Each structure stands twice: as structure tokens, then as C-alpha cells.
């Protein structure tokens, strides 16, 4: 059996286990779609050009916009108190990316560090849904916006940013 096939089987078993656990812990069951690196690159090309992009995987799992909304409703990290420097925007964004990957095996969530305006430097997420263009997700408030809507605010200008997916 090839290494790739073995990894695919293990990933499927982890997904089955996650679904079994979710039945006992109110984790929503969302549709999952598997895509390749080329698909992700096509999605990233719909964004304003980042300074740097780190693509961490060769295969990506995603869900629909409604699937992401169900995950947001389930995830309660937005309720955690903000603590300057210790639990702030980068921690919310990184934790959301990590939770979605760990619980749902969905890794089509980007982590952004945006220095476009030094008065409004910020970290947030970009979601890459199956059924729509990429969207900005603000994990501190559970807000979801199109790229053009988000760019109206100084913390999401996306003229000087780094993206990790």
C-alpha cells in the first residue's frame, strides 16, 4: 500500500472518529469537500495579493459557507476575554484555524497578519468555502464579510499582509 493511500485511509478513520465523538458533544455535522493545492491557489488568486503566502499542505478540506457558519456558532472562542498581548487578535485567529482543523479536519482556513495600516494592525481568518469566493472571518465577533466589505475597515485593508493556509 502506498504512503499516500495509507495517509488517506488514516485521515478517513480520524474523520469517522470525529463524527462519532461529535454525536456526543453537539459538534455540528458539516459537509466536507476535498480539494488540491491548485484549487487553493485559484482561491488565493481571488484575494488582493499578499506579501507572503505559506501553503502548508498539498490537499485541503473545506465546507460550504453555511458549514462554516455552523462551525462558528459551535465554536465559542469569541466569548473568551480579550487580554492585550496575551490573548488578542492573533490568538483568536490562530485558535480558530486550529480548532477547525483539529475537530472538523477542515484546513481551508487562512491565518492573516495584516499590517496595512499601522494604527489598525490586526490578525483574522480568511475562509475558503466550497460554494463561494474567499471571505474574511473575524473570530473575536463571529463576523463574516466579503473581501470588498472587509476592506472598508482599516484592519482588513489587505494591502500589506501575510497569509498562512
Amino acid at each position: 500500500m502506498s504512503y499516500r493511500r495509507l495517509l488517506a485511509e488514516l485521515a478517513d478513520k480520524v474523520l469517522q472518529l470525529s463524527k462519532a465523538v461529535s454525536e456526543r458533544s453537539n459538534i455540528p455535522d458539516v459537509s466536507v469537500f476535498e480539494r488540491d493545492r491548485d484549487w487553493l491557489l485559484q482561491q488565493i488568486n481571488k484575494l488582493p495579493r499578499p506579501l507572503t503566502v505559506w501553503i502548508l499542505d498539498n490537499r485541503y478540506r473545506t465546507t460550504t459557507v453555511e458549514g462554516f457558519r455552523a462551525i462558528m456558532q459551535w465554536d465559542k472562542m469569541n466569548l473568551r476575554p480579550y487580554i492585550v498581548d496575551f490573548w488578542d487578535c492573533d490568538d483568536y485567529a490562530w485558535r480558530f484555524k486550529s480548532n477547525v482543523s483539529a475537530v472538523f479536519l477542515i484546513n481551508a482556513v487562512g491565518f492573516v497578519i495584516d499590517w496595512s495600516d499601522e494604527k489598525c494592525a490586526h490578525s483574522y481568518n480568511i475562509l475558503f468555502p466550497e460554494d463561494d469566493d474567499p471571505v474574511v472571518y473575524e473570530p473575536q465577533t463571529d463576523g463574516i464579510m466579503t473581501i470588498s466589505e472587509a476592506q472598508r475597515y482599516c484592519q482588513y485593508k489587505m494591502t500589506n499582509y501575510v497569509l498562512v493556509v
Side-chain angles (χ1 to χ4, degrees):
M1 180 177 297
S2 75
Y3 178 71
R4 185 175 291 262
R5 180 74 181 145
L6 179 63
L7 281 177
E9 286 182 16
L10 287 173
D12 288 339
K13 288 183 191 241
V14 169
L15 185 58
Q16 289 171 0
L17 180 61
S18 294
K19 286 183 179 184
V21 169
S22 74
E23 291 172 5
R24 298 214 178 254
S25 53
N26 297 323
I27 297 172
D29 186 21
V30 298
S31 300
V32 177
F33 304 87
E34 192 165 311
R35 298 290 174 208
D36 61 15
R37 185 182 184 99
D38 289 338
W39 174 84
L40 182 67
L41 288 170
Q42 290 171 2
Q43 300 307 306
I44 290 170
N45 284 334
K46 295 176 182 178
L47 301 171
R49 188 180 183 114
L51 290 173
T52 303
V53 177
W54 288 296
I55 298 175
L56 304 178
D57 296 301
N58 288 316
R59 295 183 358 208
Y60 283 84
R61 285 189 170 163
T62 189
T63 189
T64 61
V65 171
E66 285 310 308
F68 277 120
R69 287 186 193 280
I71 291 169
M72 289 174 219
Q73 187 174 13
W74 167 82
D75 183 79
K76 301 299 182 203
M77 289 311 305
N78 62 306
L79 301 178
R80 186 177 184 123
Y82 181 97
I83 303 169
V84 175
D85 291 328
F86 296 103
W87 188 265
D88 53 9
C89 60
D90 60 302
D91 301 293
Y92 283 95
W94 196 257
R95 182 66 184 262
F96 180 78
K97 177 176 178 39
S98 176
N99 283 351
V100 174
S101 181
V103 176
F104 298 92
L105 296 180
I106 292 173
N107 57 344
V109 175
F111 172 77
V112 173
I113 304 168
D114 193 331
W115 293 286
S116 300
D117 184 328
E118 68 181 56
K119 297 180 309 251
C120 305
H122 192 49
S123 286
Y124 51 90
N125 300 106
I126 294 181
L127 310 178
F128 297 93
E130 172 68 17
D131 59 342
D132 207 347
D133 289 337
V135 293
V136 168
Y137 171 61
E138 176 52 68
Q140 294 180 65
T141 63
D142 276 350
I144 189 169
M145 302 167 269
T146 66
I147 301 301
S148 60
E149 288 170 338
Q151 287 183 300
R152 291 186 223 155
Y153 303 96
C154 71
Q155 65 265 44
Y156 314 105
K157 288 291 184 196
M158 300 176 79
T159 57
N160 184 12
Y161 72 107
V162 171
L163 173 63
V164 179
V165 188

